[in-house]
């Protein structure tokens, strides 16, 4: 059964409300926002808001899930191409690039949801996305637990936390590098670490 395509007017209304929410959280903080504030910023009436959402928490939750589901879809579509990561190449795998492109195209939302107070749910969900991605990548790179220097679950958490920290830094600093360059740097760190070949670290 095919999924019903949403009316473009509905999508536009939801986007206006999402944008208004993000702007207001950045300006005032989530706790100080009322539905009336959101509708006024979006230049819509309250009746229109309640056609789509129960309250501001519902808007927040749905906006979070939609953006993260889109990120997951892009990751899975890219991994589904079955092009193995070339660990000897300095060129980023498409998956890394797609992650940063998706974040870049929704940068206002990510920046607010990752950096504002009282938004732990989004950070936790994004961490879960990275954990799943890293788990699959590590399974391809080294499936044998005995050849890892630390337990696999610790390595996965460590790398995923680093990914999230780097993404947050990138957004907080207004994305000083392109998505492709960030993908290159992150893949290099994940595979080779931060050090240039040096006998001291070998």
């Amino acid at each position: 059964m095919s999924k019903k395509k949403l009316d473009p007017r509905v999508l536009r209304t939801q986007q206006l409300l999402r944008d208004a929410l993000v702007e207001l959280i950045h300006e005032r903080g989530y706790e100080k926002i009322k539905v009336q504030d959101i509708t006024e910023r979006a230049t819509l009436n309250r009746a229109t808001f309640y056609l789509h959402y129960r309250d501001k928490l519902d808007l927040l939750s749905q906006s979070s899930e939609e953006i993260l589901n889109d990120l997951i879809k892009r990751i899975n579509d890219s991994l589904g191409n079955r092009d193995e990561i070339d660990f000897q190449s300095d060129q980023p795998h498409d998956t890394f690039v797609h992650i940063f492109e998706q974040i870049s195209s929704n940068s206002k939302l990510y920046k607010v949801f990752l950096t504002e107070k009282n938004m732990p749910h989004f950070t936790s969900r994004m961490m879960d996305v990275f954990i799943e991605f890293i788990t699959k990548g590590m399974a391809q790179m080294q499936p044998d637990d005995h050849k890892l220097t630390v337990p696999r679950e610790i390595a996965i958490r460590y790398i995923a936390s680093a990914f999230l920290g780097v993404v947050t830094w990138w957004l907080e600093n207004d994305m000083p590098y392109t998505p492709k360059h960030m993908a290159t740097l992150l893949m290099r760190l994940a595979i080779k670490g931060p050090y240039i070949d040096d006998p001291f670290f070998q």
Side-chain angles (χ1 to χ4, degrees):
M1 184 175 177
S2 61
K3 190 175 180 179
K4 186 177 179 182
K5 191 173 181 181
L6 283 176
D7 186 317
R9 291 171 296 182
V10 172
L11 292 174
R12 172 173 164 72
T13 296
Q14 292 176 342
Q15 185 66 54
L16 286 170
L17 291 169
R18 178 195 293 176
D19 290 347
L21 174 69
V22 169
E23 290 174 7
L24 288 166
I25 291 175
H26 177 66
E27 292 172 11
R28 308 179 192 177
Y30 174 75
E31 299 299 332
K32 295 181 179 179
I33 300 171
K34 298 179 181 179
V35 169
Q36 184 69 33
D37 300 322
I38 297 169
T39 55
E40 287 179 358
R41 179 63 61 92
T43 63
L44 297 168
N45 58 52
R46 288 169 61 90
T48 299
F49 178 94
Y50 288 115
L51 283 174
H52 301 278
Y53 307 103
R54 294 187 302 274
D55 48 33
K56 69 172 186 177
L57 179 59
D58 189 33
L59 170 58
L60 176 69
S61 298
Q62 288 197 44
S63 298
S64 299
E65 287 304 306
E66 285 166 8
I67 206 71
L68 290 176
N69 286 338
D70 180 59
L71 179 61
I72 292 168
K73 182 179 184 304
R74 294 203 192 188
I75 291 173
N76 289 338
D77 287 349
S78 181
L79 292 174
N81 291 332
R82 299 190 182 281
D83 291 332
E84 291 193 359
I85 297 175
D86 181 359
F87 297 111
Q88 304 304 314
S89 173
D90 201 40
Q91 292 300 310
H93 188 267
D94 285 347
T95 307
F96 283 79
V97 178
H98 291 164
I99 288 172
F100 279 98
E101 286 178 342
Q102 197 268 359
I103 292 172
S104 176
S105 63
N106 299 280
S107 60
K108 288 184 178 180
L109 184 147
Y110 276 109
K111 184 175 181 179
V112 167
F113 283 13
L114 285 174
T115 62
E116 294 294 324
K117 295 179 180 178
N118 302 318
M119 308 291 285
H121 173 71
F122 185 83
T123 302
S124 177
R125 283 281 292 113
M126 190 153 181
M127 182 70 169
D128 290 341
V129 173
F130 283 151
I131 287 173
E132 183 177 356
F133 170 53
I134 298 303
T135 299
K136 292 177 180 177
M138 281 191 65
Q140 179 184 331
M141 185 175 184
Q142 181 49 267
D144 187 353
D145 285 359
H146 294 94
K147 293 184 179 180
L148 298 176
T149 59
V150 297
R152 185 174 295 271
E153 59 269 25
I154 291 178
I156 290 170
R157 285 278 176 175
Y158 176 81
I159 297 171
S161 296
F163 272 35
L164 185 60
V166 168
V167 166
T168 303
W169 173 89
W170 186 54
L171 292 167
E172 287 178 328
N173 288 275
D174 299 320
M175 300 180 293
Y177 303 110
T178 66
K180 185 174 182 180
H181 189 56
M182 285 299 296
T184 301
L185 296 177
L186 204 59
M187 185 169 171
R188 187 183 301 162
L189 280 169
I191 296 170
K192 300 179 180 179
Y195 303 110
I196 296 173
D197 290 342
D198 188 319
F200 181 80
F201 296 105
Q202 294 180 358

